[in-house]
Amino acid sequence: MSTQVTEEPPSGTETNATMGSQIRIHEGGGDDPLLTPDIDPLATVAGMDVASYQGNVNWKSWWDQGMRFAYVKATEGTSYKNPYFAQQYNGSYNVGMIRGAYHFALPDRSSGAAQANYFVDNGGGWSKDGKTVPGALDMEYNPYGATCYGKSKSGMTAWIKDFSDTYHSRTGRWPVIYTSTSWWNHCVGGDFSSTNPLWVARYASNVGQLPYKWGIWTIWQYTSSPLDKNTFNGAYDRLQALANG
């Protein structure tokens, strides 16, 4: 879905990494447009996620193909903002979808609190309008350097907690955490299963093992072709419940 970065940008800058782009590089898969997830379609809801690479999205077309929720990239680090955010975030809402925003984390650049505040201040907030799900924190392989951003497991856990606690204090909701099992178990030692809904990436017909301590997934990203497709683990009324808090 994205243009891949092969060199680390100058210190203090961010470019535009997208949800799952680094997971596809490190773990493979994601490019099968015919992949069918092993789910009960009566107990799940189809969704998608987008970033600036999709430009102005034809939301009516995706609605007609059955998509009922969407996550839109809002921010990365503390300087990048998706220039298409308004069209994507508002357009998905206006066509009838339940929508949310996501933040691509760069834990080696600034604190979790700083990035959570930047996210909330630039589209990542939450309102109880019945059509907005909590913001998502995208935690995955570093596109610009060391896999775990130079942090120990305890250091990464502390960074995520800082982000999560700050987001909760600003919005009253815990952010959804997006990750892959392999990256999370390699880089994070903490347990967020009692507070944060899990959005797991695995490009296969089944979701497989979940990250440390999570016993259930809330959203599963199962392919990136022709764009990132997801399924929500529950019927539509449960997705509405997530939106309503």
Side-chain angles (χ1 to χ4, degrees):
M1 180 177 76
S2 65
T3 302
Q4 304 303 339
V5 177
T6 57
E7 297 182 356
E8 184 175 359
S11 177
T13 65
E14 291 86 36
T15 53
N16 184 12
T18 57
M19 181 171 276
S21 59
Q22 307 312 304
I23 294 171
R24 290 191 292 277
I25 290 174
H26 291 269
E27 300 182 21
D31 56 358
D32 182 0
L34 301 179
L35 181 67
T36 301
D38 183 14
I39 55 173
D40 177 358
L42 298 179
T44 56
V45 183
M48 57 195 283
D49 60 84
V50 297
S52 66
Y53 296 104
Q54 278 72 46
N56 291 319
V57 176
N58 184 342
W59 290 108
K60 177 62 163 55
S61 173
W62 287 109
W63 176 269
D64 290 344
Q65 294 177 58
M67 297 295 175
R68 293 296 179 263
F69 73 93
Y71 265 96
V72 176
K73 181 175 181 179
T75 51
E76 177 174 328
T78 54
S79 67
Y80 175 84
K81 295 184 287 186
N82 175 8
Y84 292 94
F85 180 76
Q87 191 278 343
Q88 295 174 347
Y89 192 69
N90 297 328
S92 54
Y93 180 95
N94 290 336
V95 82
M97 292 186 189
I98 292 175
R99 51 77 191 272
Y102 80 85
H103 173 79
F104 194 100
L106 297 179
D108 57 342
R109 303 297 178 83
S110 53
S111 69
Q115 293 193 30
N117 283 320
Y118 185 74
F119 179 45
V120 173
D121 291 343
N122 292 283
W126 175 78
S127 58
K128 193 172 183 177
D129 56 12
K131 298 293 289 293
T132 304
V133 284
L137 173 62
D138 182 353
M139 299 298 309
E140 58 181 282
Y141 301 88
N142 184 358
Y144 315 121
T147 294
C148 299
Y149 300 84
K151 292 189 176 295
S152 64
K153 284 188 172 184
S154 61
M156 186 66 78
T157 297
W159 191 96
I160 296 169
K161 189 174 188 304
D162 192 28
F163 184 103
S164 183
D165 288 350
T166 302
Y167 188 87
H168 185 266
S169 72
R170 290 286 306 272
T171 67
R173 301 297 305 275
W174 298 106
V176 175
I177 292 179
Y178 169 94
T179 194
S180 75
T181 299
S182 294
W183 182 88
W184 185 271
N185 289 348
H186 179 65
C187 294
V188 187
D191 176 12
F192 293 85
S193 62
S194 64
T195 51
N196 302 74
L198 171 65
W199 182 356
V200 64
R202 186 170 189 265
Y203 308 125
S205 60
N206 62 81
V207 72
Q209 180 184 0
L210 299 182
Y212 179 69
K213 291 292 186 178
W214 268 293
I216 190 170
W217 56 273
T218 298
I219 302 172
W220 170 23
Q221 185 189 73
Y222 62 89
T223 186
S224 61
S225 183
L227 48 60
D228 289 351
K229 292 182 179 179
N230 303 275
T231 187
F232 174 80
N233 189 10
Y236 189 76
D237 64 332
R238 301 317 304 158
L239 179 60
Q240 290 176 310
L242 179 64
N244 285 320

